[in-house]
Amino acid sequence: MQRTRRTNHTPRLCMAAVALGWALAGSAALAQTPAPPLTLKALFDRAWERQPEAQSAALRRESAQAARSGASSWTAEPAALELQAKTDRPGSNQGNREVEMGVALPLWLPGERARKAALGDAEIKAVESRRLAAQLQLAASVREAWWALQRAQAELGLAQDRLQSAKQLAADVARRFKAGDMARADQTQADGAVAQAEAAVAEALGARDVAQAALAAWGGQEVLPDAAEPEAEALPAAGLPADHPAVADWQDQAEVARRAADLAAVQTRANPELTVAATRGREQSGERYLQSFTVGVRVPLGGGDRARAKEAAARADALDAEVRARVEQDRLAADVAAATARVKATQAQREAMARHAALARDTRGFIGKAFRLGEADWPTRLRVELEAVQAERQLARARIDAAAAVSTLRQALGLLPQ
């Protein structure tokens, strides 16, 4: 008689269901975790990763380093293997036969090796400065899109606040109209202010969406939070730095051109070649094979006009880059001076607008309370409300302008977003 063993799977199923429930709850919690706020530095990093200069930087650096390593070799060019066979009776093993095997070694011209090494060092430095200049150029576009969205969001917030205030004011007018304290024309005017505020909100929302679309081109898909942190407002040191990326890029390009001209000055002809060969041959069939060694030097003649043209073109490129570096340095110095003056002006304006907005808020509170009690007339209440809204708008603009001015100064000084 066989007994069938029954296994109770209920506890295991319950444990699996509990584990699955905890896993689903954990994944839901992770999905609900809010993403960190987008900062200007994070936006710049996203935009830079998508740029072709960033993706090819490693290969360009590797190419420059490989060119520099070529100056450390013993020969100017890779060695060449030469193989030659000679016979007076093709297709048979009779008669004269000779086989020659040799190596051709291109030699450095006097001073060529050192100047090629200097050119390689200059090219390695130029690759890095070109990358920094591309980053700074990208930072200008990213900063522009960032502050455009900041202004658009500030305008949208103020428009929404104005709409709420207009609705509250219309409610107060409607209450007093029902009580017989105000005329129908006053209520119509209050309702018109609400409609005007709604139109302003729609316009500000459209402008915000346009600015957001422009920012999305750089990788900023999400909307900036209301309290998005701008760049640090600590003023950097005044004066144009000596290592400004835009100036350093042109200076390094000029250095590369000068080194190329120096190299072209010694490359007036092709490289000479040292040839070492071994020959094995016989005169007649049946004779012993004899061996011989050959050492030779091949010296090309001068390059003439081609060498002079190459050197002159390199000198012209060096002069062009030097002039551009000086012009860029003068322009950037003027930009730094203008940006510094704008920072001081916007900070003073921000402080004045803060005091003005505080006074306007106090006045609106006093007049609003008096209007609800019937102690202030409708034109005064409406005028004070509009003045308070305008003061808040000016303060918001002043704050963003002050922060954007610091960002512009950092851009002029060659500093990337931080």
Side-chain angles (χ1 to χ4, degrees), residues 352-376:
M353 288 296 101
R355 294 193 301 269
H356 176 61
L359 294 174
R361 283 192 296 268
D362 294 340
T363 303
R364 179 170 60 180
F366 299 150
I367 298 301
K369 183 177 180 180
F371 178 75
R372 287 190 294 270
L373 297 176
E375 299 175 357

Side-chain angles (χ1 to χ4, degrees), residues 64-153:
Q65 291 175 350
R68 173 61 179 85
S69 299
S72 301
S73 62
W74 289 99
T75 59
E77 297 291 341
L81 179 64
E82 295 182 352
L83 181 63
Q84 182 177 350
K86 183 174 63 174
T87 182
D88 60 351
R89 296 182 183 182
S92 69
N93 194 24
Q94 304 296 323
N96 180 286
R97 294 183 63 83
E98 183 179 279
V99 177
E100 181 179 357
M101 180 179 296
V103 177
L105 304 174
L107 303 179
W108 292 103
L109 292 169
E112 181 185 12
R113 186 177 183 182
R115 297 190 182 190
K116 189 170 184 179
L119 176 60
D121 294 336
E123 288 178 342
I124 292 175
K125 187 177 180 182
V127 167
E128 182 64 20
S129 63
R130 191 175 299 114
R131 181 184 66 85
L132 294 176
Q135 284 184 327
L136 185 62
Q137 185 177 4
L138 174 66
S141 301
V142 172
R143 280 178 167 126
E144 182 180 357
W146 171 273
W147 292 112
L149 181 56
Q150 291 280 359
R151 291 186 176 93
Q153 289 195 163

Side-chain angles (χ1 to χ4, degrees), residues 392-403:
E392 293 293 342
R393 186 176 186 181
Q394 292 175 350
L395 175 59
R397 287 181 175 179
R399 287 174 175 171
I400 295 179
D401 289 343

Side-chain angles (χ1 to χ4, degrees), residues 250-262:
W250 286 112
Q251 291 176 343
D252 291 343
Q253 290 185 33
E255 181 67 14
V256 169
R258 283 194 296 268
R259 297 301 182 184
D262 294 340

Side-chain angles (χ1 to χ4, degrees), residues 26 77 84 109 130 133 142 156 182 189 200 235 267 289 332 368:
E77 297 291 341
Q84 182 177 350
L109 292 169
R130 191 175 299 114
V142 172
L156 177 59
M182 299 188 70
Q189 189 176 9
L235 292 180
Q267 289 179 335
Y289 279 90
L332 290 172

